[in-house]
Amino acid sequence: MPRFIIFVRATPETEATTKADSSELAQMIAYNKSVRAACILQIAEGLHTSSHDCRRIALGPSLEVTTGPFPAGELVAGFWI
């Protein structure tokens, strides 16, 4: 059976420090449970906002480290497998 990974792109809303709307979160949890029960979903995870992260770029022997936050259009907020 083929497997797929779906990346959820970050938006200004996902990068905001406010919590998700409780009704939307409940709907998402219910959906994830239903597709997991159907053996379609293996794992679904959200990631921390970029304000809690840094980028590490290795170019040969040197390492470049840049702290966040970063532009939302370049980020992944979560994934499904």
Side-chain angles (χ1 to χ4, degrees):
M1 172 181 276
R3 293 185 183 173
F4 302 93
I5 186 166
I6 299 168
F7 289 104
V8 180
R9 212 175 254 275
T11 65
E13 291 80 20
T14 61
E15 283 291 295
T17 56
T18 59
K19 295 194 178 222
D21 177 82
S22 60
S23 65
E24 289 178 353
L25 188 58
Q27 290 174 356
M28 184 176 66
I29 290 170
Y31 174 76
N32 286 347
K33 283 182 180 179
S34 70
V35 291
R36 187 169 285 158
C39 297
I40 296 169
L41 179 68
Q42 299 297 311
I43 188 169
E45 296 288 335
L47 304 175
H48 286 287
T49 62
S50 68
S51 62
H52 293 99
D53 200 6
C54 63
R55 287 186 180 165
R56 297 152 193 96
I57 301 172
L59 301 171
S62 65
L63 178 66
E64 177 185 325
V65 178
T66 308
T67 57
F70 303 104
E74 301 176 9
L75 303 173
V76 173
F79 61 92
W80 292 333
I81 296 177

